[in-house]
């Protein structure tokens, strides 16, 4: 039976929310508050490397990581840990390829790059895909920890969603990116501290690590590198490595949520330092969360449990509740411990949601509204009045996206596991975006219509596979495409986009002789091929 929250648990949880509100108020009123879009969306481009590093790790350490990774390892075994190796390739690619190009341009959103490189249609398409992906992702991030917390504490699901959503929307709309960054820095410390405490205390309660590994090994769960190239399997090394690499590049490398952090740094060197600092942080978080899954499996299924009993799995309504169940059952009698872990989950939600709200606000303002004004004939220079108007509009957009995310979170029922759900979403959208940005920076012959057709084709391929796999789930005569593991969606859409874009770009170059002599601005290309 799960333990309910005590007084100290509530104190710890409310302290977290109080700090976030105060941070938002401080940055919302200090030195006149956020009066320009540069302040609100980019923190005046004056942020040092350490806060940028902390906000990056906090923004992407969501409940998908804190709940989903331990759940995957608990259910399927530590094979998932093999996918962590893609980080050794992902971060160097971002540091060498994407970050220098983005930081070298006077842009606010990553999709402005698509406009400069390809034209406005690609910019709209990229921004549209980002918003669709991010709204769904934000709703899931808001809903899932609330579901897990409610199951073991009795804390009302809808109240927790509303409380988290309102607090996050408030401090993001008031304080802008400055509030998001400094709140994320605090959240990162809470998250990192909590998961380290949990793995230490969890291992101690279950037994030493040799016992934990032995339990998993006896159940044939310790083969980290399954190399057979079977695209229908959930976890083999090629599936995990390649699928996670493309999905992570879409999230960490080219999405507005990540690029906005690069652009807020004082310089490219600060952006690169922040990414380098994230290397050990990201590896550490993923390894610790994976080890939590091993610990919990040994705790519930170990034949020689510490107290002499064979526990068996708890009664859960969702696999992603397992970590909260474990913390509640094992440490719920320690004053403040459960409150600390709940604060960690909520911190993951707040940091991710606030980053997404600010990023979506930037995309709508910079990539949709301002170009529409120019098309309408409003080509006047930026004035203090227009900056104040757009800053207010940005705050309103944050509020609107916050309300939409809260509303969508109430519709998140019958979810698959977090890892499969998020990889499916990012597979359909992330692959075409990574391909479009990469082609633009690496292949000067890529042109507007060829790349646009390729990106749309890749996106439709991902939607087709996603919808079909859900519609025909469990059927014996499933169409071949629908049998492919969700891990391959991002790779499949990326390759589709690349192949179609290259073919169609060459086709349109044959039709348009001027395109053959058109030169690409070197600033839009990777630094090593300029």
């Amino acid at each position: 039976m799960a333990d309910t929250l005590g007084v100290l648990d509530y104190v710890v949880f409310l302290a977290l929310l109080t700090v976030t509100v105060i941070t938002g108020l401080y940055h919302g009123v200090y030195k006149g508050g956020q009066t320009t879009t540069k302040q609100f969306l980019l923190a005046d481009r004056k942020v040092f490397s350490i806060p940028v590093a902390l906000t990056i790790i906090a923004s992407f350490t969501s409940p998908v990581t804190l709940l989903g990774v331990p759940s995957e390892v608990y259910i399927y075994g530590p094979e998932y840990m093999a996918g962590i190796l893609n980080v050794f390739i992902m971060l160097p690619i971002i540091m060498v390829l994407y970050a220098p190009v983005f930081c070298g341009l006077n842009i606010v959103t990553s999709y402005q790059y698509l406009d400069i490189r390809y034209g406005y249609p690609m910019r709209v398409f990229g921004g549209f895909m980002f918003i669709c992906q991010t709204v769904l992702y934000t709703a899931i991030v808001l809903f899932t920890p609330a579901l897990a917390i409610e199951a073991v504490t009795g804390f009302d699901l809808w109240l927790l969603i509303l409380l988290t959503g309102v607090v996050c929307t408030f401090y993001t709309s008031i304080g802008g990116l400055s509030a998001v960054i400094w709140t994320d820095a605090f959240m990162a410390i809470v998250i990192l501290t909590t998961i380290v405490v949990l793995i230490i205390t969890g291992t101690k309660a279950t037994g030493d690590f040799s016992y934990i590994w032995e339990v998993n090994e006896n159940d044939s769960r310790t083969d980290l590198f399954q190399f057979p190239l079977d695209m229908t399997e959930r976890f083999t090394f090629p599936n995990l490595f390649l699928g996670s690499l493309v999905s992570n590049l879409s999230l960490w490398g080219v999405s507005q949520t990540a690029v906005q952090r690069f652009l807020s740094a004082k310089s490219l060197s600060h952006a690169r330092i922040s990414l380098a600092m994230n290397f050990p942080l990201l590896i550490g978080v993923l390894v610790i969360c994976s080890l939590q899954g091993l610990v919990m499996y040994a705790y519930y299924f170990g034949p020689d449990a510490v107290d002499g009993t064979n526990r068996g799995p708890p009664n859960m309504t969702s696999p992603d509740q397992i970590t909260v169940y474990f913390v509640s059952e094992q440490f719920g009698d320690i004053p403040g411990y459960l409150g600390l872990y709940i604060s960690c989950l909520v911190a993951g939600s707040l940091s991710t949601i606030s980053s997404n709200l600010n990023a979506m606000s930037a995309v709508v303002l910079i990539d949709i509204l301002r170009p529409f004004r120019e098309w309408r004939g409003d080509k006047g220079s930026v004035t203090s009045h227009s900056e104040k108007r757009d800053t207010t509009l940005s705050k309103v957009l944050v509020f609107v996206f916050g309300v939409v995310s809260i509303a969508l979170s109430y519709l998140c029922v019958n979810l698959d596991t977090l890892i499969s759900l998020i990889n499916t979403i990012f597979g359909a959208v992330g692959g075409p975006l990574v391909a479009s940005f990469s082609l633009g920076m690496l292949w000067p012959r890529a042109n507007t219509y060829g790349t646009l057709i390729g990106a749309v084709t890749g996106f439709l391929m991902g939607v087709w596979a996603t919808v079909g796999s859900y519609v025909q789930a469990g059927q014996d005569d499933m169409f071949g495409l629908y049998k492919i593991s969700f891990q391959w969606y991002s790779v499949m859409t990326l390759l589709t986009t690349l192949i179609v874009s290259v073919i169609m770009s060459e086709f349109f170059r044959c039709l348009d002789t001027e395109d053959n002599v058109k030169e690409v601005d070197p600033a839009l290309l990777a630094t090593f091929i300029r």
Side-chain angles (χ1 to χ4, degrees), residues 200-358:
I200 292 174
T201 54
T203 302
K204 183 178 179 180
T206 304
D208 59 29
F209 189 74
S210 61
Y211 165 78
I212 293 169
W213 187 261
E214 180 183 356
V215 172
N216 283 271
E217 187 176 37
N218 290 341
D219 290 348
S220 302
R221 290 167 45 88
T222 55
D223 184 6
L224 299 184
F225 300 99
Q226 298 185 32
F227 279 95
L229 184 58
D230 187 346
M231 296 178 66
T232 64
E233 288 294 325
R234 188 183 186 93
F235 293 132
T236 66
F237 182 73
N239 296 8
L240 284 165
F241 185 84
L242 294 174
S244 297
L245 177 60
V246 178
S247 294
N248 285 337
L249 283 175
S250 73
L251 187 61
W252 287 69
V254 301
S255 75
Q256 175 60 17
T257 306
V259 173
Q260 203 164 346
R261 268 78 189 144
F262 307 156
L263 298 177
S264 70
K266 290 173 66 69
S267 64
L268 173 60
S269 62
H270 278 274
R272 279 177 163 164
I273 291 172
S274 69
L275 286 167
M277 293 174 65
N278 263 272
F279 190 84
L281 291 176
L282 179 58
I283 292 291
V285 168
L286 292 175
V287 168
I288 291 174
C289 288
S290 297
L291 291 177
Q292 286 176 14
L294 295 180
V295 169
M296 291 184 298
Y297 184 86
Y299 176 80
Y300 287 112
F301 293 98
D304 300 313
V306 175
D307 61 1
T309 63
N310 296 321
R311 299 180 181 89
N315 183 23
M316 301 178 297
T317 59
S318 169
D320 297 304
Q321 295 171 343
I322 181 61
T323 310
V324 185
Y325 263 105
F326 176 72
V327 172
S328 177
E329 291 179 353
Q330 190 64 26
F331 308 111
D333 58 341
I334 302 176
Y337 195 108
L338 189 54
L340 176 64
Y341 184 70
I342 288 175
S343 297
C344 172
L345 292 180
V346 174
S349 291
L350 290 173
S351 59
T352 301
I353 295 168
S354 61
S355 300
N356 290 344
L357 294 180
N358 195 270

Side-chain angles (χ1 to χ4, degrees), residues 61-277:
T61 305
S62 70
V64 174
T65 304
L66 300 173
L67 294 175
V69 172
S71 170
E72 291 289 305
V73 175
Y74 170 80
I75 297 172
Y76 300 102
E79 292 92 344
Y80 179 82
M81 297 176 68
I84 297 174
L85 294 176
N86 77 72
V87 176
F88 290 88
I89 297 179
M90 176 193 72
L91 287 178
I93 289 176
I94 297 172
M95 294 171 66
V96 173
L97 177 60
Y98 300 122
V101 175
F102 289 133
C103 291
L105 300 171
N106 185 29
I107 58 177
V108 177
T109 75
S110 57
Y111 310 108
Q112 285 179 272
Y113 171 86
L114 295 178
D115 189 358
I116 302 171
R117 178 65 177 86
Y118 297 116
Y120 185 63
M122 274 298 298
R123 179 179 182 178
V124 172
F125 184 69
F128 171 76
M129 287 198 296
F130 170 77
I131 291 175
C132 292
Q133 166 188 279
T134 307
V135 165
L136 292 173
Y137 181 42
T138 302
I140 293 169
V141 167
L142 185 59
F143 171 83
T144 306
L147 178 64
I149 292 169
E150 181 198 42
V152 299
T153 65
F155 204 113
D156 187 80
L157 170 71
W158 312 117
L159 178 61
L160 188 58
I161 289 176
L162 186 62
L163 182 63
T164 306
V166 168
V167 168
C168 187
T169 302
F170 171 77
Y171 78 76
T172 306
S173 62
I174 294 295
L177 189 61
S178 295
V180 171
I181 288 176
W182 289 105
T183 303
D184 281 357
F186 171 70
M187 299 298 181
I189 295 172
V190 172
I191 292 169
L192 294 172
T193 301
T194 304
I195 62 175
V196 169
V197 169
L198 178 58
I199 193 63
I200 292 174
T201 54
T203 302
K204 183 178 179 180
T206 304
D208 59 29
F209 189 74
S210 61
Y211 165 78
I212 293 169
W213 187 261
E214 180 183 356
V215 172
N216 283 271
E217 187 176 37
N218 290 341
D219 290 348
S220 302
R221 290 167 45 88
T222 55
D223 184 6
L224 299 184
F225 300 99
Q226 298 185 32
F227 279 95
L229 184 58
D230 187 346
M231 296 178 66
T232 64
E233 288 294 325
R234 188 183 186 93
F235 293 132
T236 66
F237 182 73
N239 296 8
L240 284 165
F241 185 84
L242 294 174
S244 297
L245 177 60
V246 178
S247 294
N248 285 337
L249 283 175
S250 73
L251 187 61
W252 287 69
V254 301
S255 75
Q256 175 60 17
T257 306
V259 173
Q260 203 164 346
R261 268 78 189 144
F262 307 156
L263 298 177
S264 70
K266 290 173 66 69
S267 64
L268 173 60
S269 62
H270 278 274
R272 279 177 163 164
I273 291 172
S274 69
L275 286 167
M277 293 174 65

Side-chain angles (χ1 to χ4, degrees), residues 23 25 29 53 133 203 206 234 293 299 305 344 386 425 442 460 486:
T23 303
L25 287 172
V29 300
Q133 166 188 279
T203 302
T206 304
R234 188 183 186 93
Y299 176 80
C344 172
S386 64
I425 294 173
L442 296 173
L460 293 177
F486 67 87

